[in-house]
Amino acid sequence: MTVKIGVLALQGAVSEHMDALTDSGAQAVAVKHIDELNDLDGLVLPGGESTTMRRLMDRTGLFEAIKSFAASKAIFGTCAGLILMAQKIEGRQGPHLGLLDIDVKRNAFGRQVDSFEAQLKIEHVADDFDGVFIRAPYIKSVGPDVEILSTYDGHIVACRQEHFLTCAFHPELTGDTRFHRYFVHLVMENK
Ligand SMILES: NC(=O)CC[C@H](N)C(=O)O
C-alpha cells in the first residue's frame, strides 16, 4: 500500500521533507492550496516561522482546511509545525491549530544557542538519532493522552498523541529517514 502525504509548502524546509517521505516509501506532494489536501492520507507541517506560517495559512484558507483534515488524518509537525499543533503556547493568547494536548515554549533553548545538534533516543524510532535544533521550541508539559517519545536535557522534544506526531528538531535535515518512516507507518495504520 502506498500512502500519499502532503507537505505544507508555504514556507520552510519543504523539499527536504518531500525527499525523506519519498525515501520512506510514500508519495510526497507539496501543498499550497486547499484542494491539494483532498486525496491525502497525511500531512507534514515543516519548520520555518510559526507566526508567518499562520498568516499564510489564514490567507490561503489552509488554516480552516487543515483543522478539518486533522479530524481524521495523520499530521507530523516539526519545529514551527510543533508550535502550530500545540494547544498552549507560552506568552500567546490561544493556540493556532490546537491539535495536541501540549504546552510549548518558543525559542526555548535561548538566544546564545541559536542552533545545535544532539544525539537523541527516540522511542520506537532510534537510540542514536542526530537531532538538529534551530531556534527550537520545547514542550513544557503534556496531557494524559500524549506519549513522550524523546527528551533532551530534561525537556520533552518529541511526542505522539493518536494520529498526531511532533518534534522540536529537524529530522528532514540529516538524511536519516527513520523518523519519517515511523510517520509513514502511522499514516498507514490510520488510513
Ligand atoms: N526552525 C524552526 O522552525 C523555528 C521555529 C521558530 N522559532 C518559531 O517560533 O516559529
Side-chain angles (χ1 to χ4, degrees):
M1 173 172 65
T2 311
V3 288
K4 200 167 168 182
I5 300 178
V7 180
L8 182 67
L10 300 174
Q11 196 215 20
V14 175
S15 62
E16 291 87 346
H17 270 298
M18 292 186 57
D19 290 347
L21 290 168
T22 309
D23 287 349
S24 304
Q27 189 186 338
V29 184
V31 174
K32 287 190 172 131
H33 307 104
I34 49 172
D35 48 309
E36 285 156 340
L37 288 172
N38 286 342
D39 57 345
L40 297 183
D41 303 307
L43 181 69
V44 171
L45 304 175
E49 212 283 316
S50 53
T51 47
T52 306
M53 249 195 279
R54 169 62 192 274
R55 197 158 3 98
L56 297 170
M57 284 163 90
D58 282 335
R59 200 179 294 167
T60 50
L62 275 162
F63 182 72
E64 288 304 326
I66 291 172
K67 267 191 125 165
S68 313
F69 183 85
S72 59
K73 303 290 177 69
I75 298 188
F76 182 18
T78 62
C79 203
L82 176 152
I83 296 162
L84 292 172
M85 291 175 84
Q87 277 170 12
K88 267 181 145 179
I89 303 160
E90 187 180 284
R92 186 179 197 279
Q93 197 103 47
H96 295 290
L97 294 163
L99 306 174
L100 275 165
D101 190 5
I102 60 174
D103 187 351
V104 307
K105 182 177 166 69
R106 293 177 67 196
N107 304 311
F109 292 96
R111 274 170 198 275
Q112 299 88 329
V113 271
D114 226 24
S115 63
F116 60 95
E117 291 187 26
Q119 187 138 111
L120 305 171
K121 177 173 164 23
I122 308 173
E123 224 48 64
H124 315 297
V125 176
D127 286 337
D128 55 351
F129 198 90
D130 189 14
V132 179
F133 294 79
I134 306 168
R135 289 180 293 284
Y138 64 59
I139 301 162
K140 297 198 295 183
S141 63
V142 302
D145 299 329
V146 178
E147 183 190 7
I148 295 169
L149 300 180
S150 186
T151 59
Y152 170 70
D153 203 18
H155 302 299
I156 304 162
V157 293
C159 65
R160 173 188 174 174
Q161 182 179 2
E162 292 159 0
H163 53 298
F164 300 134
L165 182 68
T166 197
C167 66
F169 48 93
H170 287 261
E172 77 284 9
L173 296 182
T174 52
D176 183 340
T177 57
R178 287 177 291 176
F179 209 3
H180 285 83
R181 280 173 198 273
Y182 179 64
F183 179 59
V184 170
H185 171 77
L186 204 149
V187 171
M188 282 177 175
E189 242 179 34
N190 184 61
K191 193 173 166 170

